[in-house]
């Protein structure tokens, strides 16, 4: 479901969900090519990806998404849309209350 546009469309259009769509850890074994899956997931409408085990796969996934935007595979508007949802989530549930300007979840 992490790469399924129809599932995200059901959430957004069918159920009216406007929040962040995130997927569980993409390294759990069901996906062979995490980097390709990252690109497909963003294109499907997922806003936030979890790549939890390998720093190399995290970096490779980020690079694949950047490359996808540069090559026109992922529309830049799609990335901006995802970033705006994540930013709204942070602004809703976190506040800067420490002197060192780090976020504390409240």
């Amino acid at each position: 479901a992490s790469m399924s546009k129809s599932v995200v469309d059901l959430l957004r259009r069918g159920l009216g969900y406007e929040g962040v769509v995130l997927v569980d850890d993409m390294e759990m074994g069901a996906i062979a090519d995490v980097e390709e899956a990252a690109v497909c997931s963003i294109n499907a409408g997922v806003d936030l990806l979890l790549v939890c085990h390998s720093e190399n796969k995290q970096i490779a996934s980020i690079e694949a998404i950047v490359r996808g935007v540069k090559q026109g595979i992922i529309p830049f508007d799609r990335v901006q849309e995802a970033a705006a949802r994540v930013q709204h989530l942070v602004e809703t549930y976190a506040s800067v209350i420490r002197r060192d300007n780090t976020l504390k979840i409240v």
Side-chain angles (χ1 to χ4, degrees):
S2 63
M3 296 180 279
S4 174
K5 184 160 176 43
S6 60
V7 170
V8 177
D9 284 347
L10 173 65
L11 283 171
R12 299 242 185 257
R13 292 189 182 111
L15 301 175
Y17 179 69
E18 296 177 359
V20 172
V21 174
L22 65 116
V23 296
D24 202 355
D25 184 12
M26 298 185 76
E27 288 187 275
M28 292 184 356
I31 297 171
D33 187 339
V34 174
E35 296 82 20
E36 181 181 345
V39 171
C40 291
S41 295
I42 296 293
N43 272 335
V46 171
D47 302 311
L48 187 61
L49 308 169
L50 300 179
V51 182
C52 299
H53 298 285
S54 164
E55 183 178 357
N56 289 337
K57 289 208 184 267
Q58 294 167 5
I59 293 166
S61 296
I62 293 167
E63 289 172 348
I65 292 167
V66 170
R67 207 171 30 255
V69 172
K70 287 181 178 179
Q71 294 173 352
I73 297 166
I74 301 172
F76 186 67
D77 290 350
R78 170 80 270 283
V79 175
Q80 287 181 309
E81 176 183 83
R85 283 195 188 103
V86 172
Q87 181 66 36
H88 182 262
L89 179 72
V90 169
E91 289 170 355
T92 301
Y93 295 103
S95 63
V96 178
I97 60 172
R98 296 182 177 162
R99 288 191 176 128
D100 63 359
N101 289 328
T102 59
L103 292 178
K104 177 180 177 185
I105 303 300
V106 286

